[in-house]
Amino acid sequence: MYTCLAIDDELSAIEIITDYVAAQPQLKLLKSYSTAETALKEIENLKKPVDVIFLDIEMPSINGIELAKLIKHKTHKLVFVTAHSAYAIDSYELEADAFLLKPFSQGKFDQTVKKLFSTTPSTQTDKVDDFILLKSIEQRNRFIKIKLDKIYAVEAQERDIKVHLEHEVIFSNSSFAEALALLPPEKGFSRVHRSFIVAENQVKTLERSYIILNNGVRISIGRKYLDFYHKMSKKKENLA
């Protein structure tokens, strides 16, 4: 069992790391901190180092780069967590053991932990993540956690995206390209139009030029994506 700490001024990020750690049987989260000052005070008083600290970079008062210099001797492994890839250079100068770019999935987190402790065999089997993280359109550096089985479709909206659920719509500051990366075919999603990704299991009506989802949303099938129609037609034939 490896002990760890999480430091991030965004409570939603703390919640996500807590969930990810809970899914890792070899990790134990001792405590999380939402302020760098409190974290510094308590970590300095630790009698022995923890195994890993997950540390946000952009925080008020004391940022993660500065804090890392003060607490690095209190941990065996240091993982920087940030929404800004530009900080990667600073993290490597501090000899950080890993760098997680928000939003990251459970799979990416598990992969990072596995590399950190590569001498320990993984006790988990590979599995499809059951949720994704999208950037909030309302609060900078805040993320929205959405379960995959709740998603009906994702629609491009200029620089943002609109996530269609059963009875509501969520707007996110994530890009359509990011959504495509988070919702690949192996997770049961397909692109059917230049502006739409749909959950295959939510297709109620299938026609050559359009589909209707279980929540009533009608979406045109783009000419470049007719392979989706053939794929779904074959699937329906096999289920018949």
Side-chain angles (χ1 to χ4, degrees):
M1 181 71 72
Y2 295 105
T3 56
C4 60
L5 300 171
I7 308 170
D8 199 306
D9 64 316
E10 292 288 342
L11 294 180
S12 60
I14 289 290
E15 291 173 359
I16 289 163
I17 292 177
T18 299
D19 288 346
Y20 286 177
V21 170
Q24 281 279 351
Q26 71 267 43
L27 289 182
K28 179 181 180 181
L29 184 64
L30 298 180
K31 194 167 184 179
S32 61
Y33 301 93
S34 58
T35 66
E37 292 84 355
T38 302
L40 176 59
K41 182 178 179 181
E42 294 193 12
I43 292 173
E44 282 183 331
N45 292 325
L46 290 177
K47 293 182 179 180
K48 62 178 182 178
V50 295
D51 292 304
V52 57
I53 293 178
F54 297 97
L55 176 60
D56 184 29
I57 292 181
E58 193 169 81
M59 295 186 292
S61 185
I62 304 175
N63 67 39
I65 300 293
E66 296 169 339
L67 182 59
K69 295 175 183 178
L70 301 173
I71 64 174
K72 196 172 187 300
H73 65 290
K74 290 291 186 176
T75 183
H76 298 303
K77 304 286 185 180
L78 179 65
V79 179
F80 278 113
V81 182
T82 181
H84 305 283
S85 59
Y87 286 121
I89 295 176
D90 293 326
S91 71
Y92 289 126
E93 286 180 352
L94 279 172
E95 297 182 353
D97 298 282
F99 181 83
L100 284 169
L101 184 64
K102 299 177 181 177
F104 52 91
S105 66
Q106 176 83 57
K108 179 63 176 177
F109 180 85
D110 292 349
Q111 184 182 40
T112 300
V113 171
K114 185 177 181 180
K115 288 181 179 179
L116 289 176
F117 306 107
S118 57
T119 57
T120 302
S122 175
T123 58
Q124 282 191 313
T125 56
D126 292 334
K127 62 183 182 64
V128 177
D129 303 339
D130 64 355
F131 63 87
I132 60 172
L133 303 175
L134 296 175
K135 298 173 186 175
S136 169
I137 204 167
E138 298 175 347
Q139 290 182 273
R140 185 168 173 263
N141 291 339
R142 187 175 179 85
F143 294 86
I144 308 165
K145 179 178 176 180
I146 306 176
K147 295 194 69 174
L148 292 181
D149 60 8
K150 301 295 183 183
I151 299 173
Y152 283 62
V154 175
E155 179 182 357
Q157 295 277 293
E158 295 183 356
R159 296 183 180 180
D160 305 319
I161 58 174
K162 183 162 65 173
V163 184
H164 295 265
L165 308 182
E166 183 176 10
H167 299 301
E168 65 176 316
V169 171
I170 295 175
F171 291 89
S172 167
N173 198 36
S174 296
S175 68
F176 191 65
E178 288 173 321
L180 282 169
L182 291 170
L183 301 171
E186 53 265 32
K187 290 188 178 182
F189 293 86
S190 288
R191 188 174 186 179
V192 300
H193 187 274
R194 62 186 179 87
S195 302
F196 274 98
I197 305 167
V198 302
E200 295 174 2
N201 64 346
Q202 296 297 347
V203 175
K204 180 179 180 180
T205 302
L206 175 68
E207 297 294 341
R208 194 172 184 84
S209 59
Y210 70 91
I211 58 173
I212 298 176
L213 302 180
N214 287 323
N215 62 351
V217 174
R218 177 179 170 130
I219 301 170
S220 297
I221 300 177
R223 291 182 180 179
K224 294 182 179 180
Y225 306 99
L226 286 178
D227 56 335
F228 169 79
Y229 169 78
H230 298 300
K231 173 185 176 181
M232 293 299 293
S233 295
K234 187 175 181 180
K235 183 181 292 188
K236 286 182 178 294
E237 287 175 4
N238 293 334
L239 292 175

